[in-house]
Amino acid sequence: MLETCGWASVYTPLCPERDTSQGRYMVAGRGAVVSRLAGTGAPSPCSRPAGRLGFGAMPDDEAGLGSASGSASSGPGMSARRVLEPLSAAECMQLLADGGLGRLVYNSRYGPTALPTVYRIDGESIVLGTWDPALFDEDLRTGIAHAEYKVAVEADQIDLEAREGWIVLVRGAAHHLDTEAERAPIIGAGLEPWIEGVPAHFIRVNPTSMWGNRVLRA
């Protein structure tokens, strides 16, 4: 059963300065406010929102993506407010329906790893075209029958100039398509390597959880 959840906020540690006139902590460098911990009266940790996708409605003069000093860039539409819209599982699959370029995220022997990969939707699953079977054999095969590593597949479409876009994250088990019968429906789907001589390798991910967010103008 698929689950949906919101896009977790990302915080960047910075050293705050106390603004005693308003009882808040001001973060140097972007001018963003770090609010107190709810109900405790204590200041929150030395961190702040990065001012990017995932923080709900926020005027651009507060986000300040175009300037290190925190001031917003001038230009048409730069003062428009934007909102964060959580996506249902069905909406996530609809956005992924045309396929494209995503990222395969997993724990390798060297630690957390994210690699670009092309993907296509096949029924209710996602099929990835990977280009280095040896790499994935070492990191994504358990060696135990019917035991598969858990992975995540991330895809997005973001317009940096308009400051709008969407992101989808799918989690599930990585099933290697090793037999001809499993590979037959995928051949010719555009998942083959771009470089001649590099063997194709396909991985099917059946989603166990999925979430996504879209940022758009209010």
Side-chain angles (χ1 to χ4, degrees), residues 149-180:
Y149 279 115
K150 299 294 184 182
V151 300
V153 180
E154 187 275 346
D156 56 66
Q157 190 174 91
I158 298 173
D159 186 331
L160 292 178
E161 183 175 352
R163 299 180 182 179
E164 298 175 3
W166 56 263
I167 178 173
V168 170
L169 183 69
V170 179
R171 297 183 181 91
H175 176 69
H176 299 262
L177 304 185
D178 291 328
T179 68
E180 290 300 324

Side-chain angles (χ1 to χ4, degrees), residues 53-72:
L53 298 180
F55 297 103
M58 179 186 295
D60 284 304
D61 56 0
E62 293 181 15
L65 295 183
S67 169
S69 63
S71 58

Side-chain angles (χ1 to χ4, degrees), residues 43-207:
S44 62
C46 177
S47 57
R48 60 172 287 274
R52 287 174 166 76
L53 298 180
F55 297 103
M58 179 186 295
D60 284 304
D61 56 0
E62 293 181 15
L65 295 183
S67 169
S69 63
S71 58
S73 303
S74 59
M78 286 298 100
S79 61
R81 293 175 63 86
R82 289 160 182 78
V83 295
L84 177 66
E85 178 184 80
L87 301 173
S88 67
E91 290 172 319
C92 289
M93 291 298 283
Q94 185 176 9
L95 289 171
L96 298 176
D98 293 334
L101 182 68
R103 278 150 288 279
L104 175 62
V105 184
Y106 61 97
N107 281 319
S108 75
R109 59 220 147 116
Y110 302 113
T113 302
L115 295 176
T117 179
V118 288
Y119 72 90
R120 288 288 183 274
I121 297 298
D122 184 37
E124 296 185 356
S125 65
I126 300 175
V127 178
L128 311 174
T130 63
W131 300 352
D132 192 343
L135 174 65
F136 295 104
D137 280 349
E138 293 176 352
D139 287 333
L140 287 179
R141 289 188 189 271
T142 64
I144 304 172
H146 309 298
E148 299 171 332
Y149 279 115
K150 299 294 184 182
V151 300
V153 180
E154 187 275 346
D156 56 66
Q157 190 174 91
I158 298 173
D159 186 331
L160 292 178
E161 183 175 352
R163 299 180 182 179
E164 298 175 3
W166 56 263
I167 178 173
V168 170
L169 183 69
V170 179
R171 297 183 181 91
H175 176 69
H176 299 262
L177 304 185
D178 291 328
T179 68
E180 290 300 324
E182 289 178 311
R183 294 162 60 91
I186 307 304
I187 301 298
L191 299 179
E192 291 77 13
W194 299 346
I195 304 170
E196 186 176 355
V198 175
H201 184 65
F202 306 122
I203 295 176
R204 182 183 298 276
V205 178
N206 293 310

